[in-house]
Amino acid sequence: MSNCCKQPALGIDRRTALKGLATGVAALALPASNASASVWEAFFQKHFRELSKDELKQVLARLTKEYSQEFGKEVSVKATPAIEGVTYGYGLDLSRCIGCRRCVYGCVAENNQSRDPQIHWIRVLQLEQEKGTALEYAEHYYNPQTVPEEGHFYMPVQCQQCSNPPCTKVCPVQATWPEKDGIVVVDYNWCIGCRYCMAACPYGARHFNWGKANVPADELNPDTHYLGNRPRPIGVVEKCTFCIQRTREQPGRYPACEEICPVGARKFGNLNDPESEMRYLIENKRVFILKEELNTQPKFFYFYAT
Amino acid sequence: MKRNRRLTALLGSGLLAVLLLVLSGPVQAAKEKYFDRSGRLIVEEKPAADLLRPYQAGNREPEKTFPVPAPPFSEGIYPCSDCHGEMETNPQRRELEDMHTDIVLNHAEGQRWCLDCHNPDDRDVLRLVSGETIPFDQSYRLCGQCHGDKFRDWKVGIHGKRTGYWNGDKQYLLCAHCHNPHDPAFKAMKPLPPPVRPGEARH
């Protein structure tokens, strides 16, 4: 493990700071007096939802500058808000998916996931047709010559964007919350890396940065969102955001995983729009949600088109 | 009741009879019923002949078309008329030897041959069972003749795939972008690598 356990450059983050506070030695954890202005700014940044317009602008400008310097190319950081009247929903056709994992790597590239240590926001489960969706028989390291394999079907799992999310409720610092359009987001500047949310998520959809996101500069997607795919610092939790940097634009592109899917198994749209493909499939196809008994109320719908 | 029976009779006796009736006798009234967008039932009195007109092929609404990316032709093959413009059509079912030898029908081939889909008179267009010819960028209508259920789902973005913007302009991949029309079963493919197992870091 070469870079996973390195301390961040200045040896401070909010987690260490909180630890310090808890033991009454707060001063130890504060940035050293020779730290740059930007470190001080980052340290004293308010909670994302309490930032005024001007403050938000400053934060975005600061990050834009930091990332552009770090990666040696122009990186933009936006904070596009939810579109009025939109609630996103996702559909996945289990009668089509062949388990090719194109979505997994499309997501990694779009959302700047760390390559090594490796983080994948999407995990594709291989299941046996005979045993149905009994997840205890799921295998996600399958690697045959070709897919689909006889007698099997495939079920990609990613953040289910619950309307009643257990993960956000256990966060001790409110660094993660559901937005108006239903996307559950994380403020990486506020997250202290305690990983309670990961334990609370029944879908294994949250992932921890053991190292600073390791993304080659030439592969970095420079179109980023504050609450989405911007480069993550060490020691924070991340997850699928329905490609918030794409889907909140007007017009908004489809999420990267839906765009890359070669079999057309992935569907995306506005649940409030009766003309959307999401509404059509919910009203006309056999639909189920994962672990319904937990009452998490996902906005990710598995369905059978045939 | 009586009027209904007459309507059925009208339908049965064909369009010529309808035309004659309309031209000669008193105008037959019938009720058209439909639901508006809010779900309200609308009933309108109309001449019976007006209600029958849509059944005449010429009066049918033109089939809706969909924006699609360019058809996935091999390089240099289109326009087909570059070669076929000068060639005699050979309607004989046979093994092709001089050209298109890579095309082997594996698609209900017992019941059909190339010219059930390709227009014998102008190879640059396809031909429907009705005799109507359509351009290649509407090939979904050809497939839709026999695969109505898939076509219905395709139109609403459920079967197949739309690209572009979820809240803006979209393109519909043609059936032929995913299925080879001559051998349409979806081909198996190599999966991308599985995730690294914990404790099995690559370095």
Side-chain angles (χ1 to χ4, degrees):
Chain A
M1 305 286 264
S2 59
N3 53 10
C4 89
C5 311
K6 245 190 256 158
Q7 284 295 306
L10 284 144
I12 51 127
D13 55 28
R14 297 187 62 256
R15 185 168 32 148
T16 352
L18 277 192
K19 254 194 250 158
L21 282 169
T23 49
V25 283
L28 281 183
L30 287 174
S33 54
N34 62 352
S36 75
S38 114
V39 170
W40 278 99
E41 275 170 43
F43 190 82
F44 286 110
Q45 182 185 317
K46 282 197 226 160
H47 189 279
F48 180 78
R49 285 186 291 182
E50 286 162 8
L51 293 170
S52 72
K53 263 204 178 116
D54 278 347
E55 289 166 329
L56 179 58
K57 240 198 227 150
Q58 279 170 24
V59 168
L60 297 180
R62 186 186 79 227
L63 292 173
T64 300
K65 200 167 133 210
E66 262 179 45
Y67 297 147
S68 298
Q69 263 168 11
E70 183 181 347
F71 290 92
K73 67 187 204 186
E74 212 162 300
V75 179
S76 75
V77 188
K78 59 194 173 191
T80 322
I83 304 172
E84 204 64 45
V86 170
T87 306
Y88 296 111
Y90 206 108
L92 204 144
D93 185 352
L94 293 180
S95 53
R96 288 281 102 72
C97 178
I98 56 169
C100 71
R101 295 202 187 93
R102 300 293 183 279
C103 52
V104 174
Y105 292 90
C107 173
V108 166
E110 168 71 25
N111 289 297
N112 296 323
Q113 274 127 272
S114 177
R115 310 299 203 262
D116 183 13
Q118 184 186 63
I119 293 183
H120 287 174
W121 289 357
I122 302 176
R123 173 178 300 171
V124 186
L125 308 181
Q126 184 180 49
L127 294 148
E128 290 173 39
Q129 258 154 17
E130 263 179 22
K131 302 205 169 91
T133 52
L135 296 184
E136 55 275 30
Y137 299 106
E139 159 67 39
H140 66 277
Y141 296 112
Y142 65 90
N143 195 22
Q145 273 306 309
T146 60
V147 284
E149 276 192 285
E150 196 61 38
H152 292 85
F153 69 101
Y154 300 84
M155 182 151 121
V157 180
Q158 60 208 75
C159 175
Q160 308 278 304
Q161 314 293 356
C162 306
S163 299
N164 184 21
C167 55
T168 60
K169 291 181 192 148
V170 298
C171 179
V173 295
Q174 278 100 54
T176 178
W177 65 90
E179 291 262 292
K180 271 212 189 96
D181 51 12
I183 302 178
V184 176
V185 295
V186 180
D187 181 351
Y188 313 121
N189 280 35
W190 207 254
C191 173
I192 57 170
C194 72
R195 296 188 279 151
Y196 286 1
C197 57
M198 289 174 64
C201 173
Y203 306 105
R206 287 175 168 261
H207 306 271
F208 186 66
N209 279 278
W210 290 97
K212 190 174 171 329
N214 168 1
V215 184
D218 59 337
E219 290 175 24
L220 185 87
N221 173 6
D223 173 26
T224 77
H225 192 288
Y226 182 92
L227 297 171
N229 62 339
R230 68 183 166 107
R232 270 78 73 191
I234 189 171
V236 299
V237 169
E238 59 180 66
K239 57 179 273 303
C240 159
T241 65
F242 280 170
C243 278
I244 198 167
Q245 69 279 4
R246 291 170 162 236
T247 51
R248 275 192 180 174
E249 300 303 302
Q250 306 212 40
R253 280 188 294 161
Y254 281 108
C257 51
E258 113 85 73
E259 203 170 88
I260 206 167
C261 177
V263 296
R266 292 173 164 272
K267 307 294 161 194
F268 179 79
N270 179 5
L271 294 172
N272 300 340
D273 173 6
E275 306 283 313
S276 70
E277 55 245 59
M278 282 312 298
R279 283 287 286 277
Y280 181 90
L281 78 86
I282 288 169
E283 285 156 22
N284 295 285
K285 298 294 179 187
R286 193 150 56 92
V287 174
F288 78 94
I289 51 178
L290 206 47
K291 305 195 180 181
E292 183 174 14
E293 68 281 7
L294 300 179
N295 192 32
T296 50
Q297 299 165 25
K299 284 189 281 299
F300 198 101
F301 302 88
Y302 294 93
F303 71 103
Y304 297 92
T306 46
Chain B
M1 211 35 225
K2 206 164 147 210
R3 191 184 286 140
N4 268 349
R5 219 177 299 133
R6 188 172 296 159
L7 247 181
T8 331
L10 276 178
L11 263 173
S13 57
L15 286 162
L16 187 66
V18 175
L19 267 177
L20 283 176
L21 259 180
V22 171
L23 290 176
S24 56
V27 176
Q28 305 286 317
K31 285 195 173 109
E32 181 177 40
K33 294 180 182 174
Y34 60 91
F35 295 96
D36 73 0
R37 275 184 73 92
S38 65
R40 206 153 46 97
L41 177 67
I42 311 286
V43 182
E44 276 179 37
E45 289 265 336
K46 279 192 169 176
D50 279 1
L51 293 187
L52 291 172
R53 255 179 216 136
Y55 292 99
Q56 219 172 333
N59 288 339
R60 234 177 274 146
E61 256 192 74
E63 189 76 36
K64 192 171 176 305
T65 59
F66 300 87
V68 299
F73 284 121
S74 321
E75 229 181 281
I77 196 94
Y78 194 87
C80 320
S81 52
D82 278 356
C83 296
H84 285 277
E86 305 288 297
M87 274 171 59
E88 275 295 304
T89 295
N90 179 352
Q92 195 62 42
R93 187 186 185 104
R94 66 197 191 279
E95 199 165 317
L96 298 183
E97 282 166 357
D98 301 336
M99 185 68 197
H100 313 314
T101 47
D102 53 324
I103 296 178
V104 178
L105 284 191
N106 181 19
H107 188 187
E109 66 283 1
Q111 300 131 46
R112 108 180 92 178
W113 180 238
C114 318
L115 301 177
D116 291 334
C117 298
H118 293 286
N119 182 14
D121 306 325
D122 172 5
R123 217 46 67 85
D124 290 342
V125 291
L126 296 163
R127 196 178 67 164
L128 304 182
V129 177
S130 66
E132 184 184 352
T133 56
I134 55 166
F136 277 92
D137 62 8
Q138 289 176 27
S139 57
Y140 45 82
R141 291 179 57 196
L142 177 74
C143 317
Q145 298 180 120
C146 300
H147 301 292
D149 57 332
K150 290 287 173 302
F151 186 33
R152 196 172 339 113
D153 276 359
W154 180 86
K155 288 192 239 185
V156 289
I158 301 299
H159 189 78
K161 174 166 145 176
R162 301 192 290 195
T163 58
Y165 302 97
W166 69 266
N167 56 355
D169 290 344
K170 296 174 181 59
Q171 284 197 321
Y172 292 66
L173 290 195
L174 290 166
C175 319
H177 282 114
C178 298
H179 300 288
N180 177 344
H182 309 126
D183 180 12
F186 201 86
K187 304 294 171 287
M189 59 169 90
K190 185 161 176 47
L192 292 180
V196 176
R197 286 176 199 265
E200 208 182 63
R202 273 171 296 165
H203 54 137

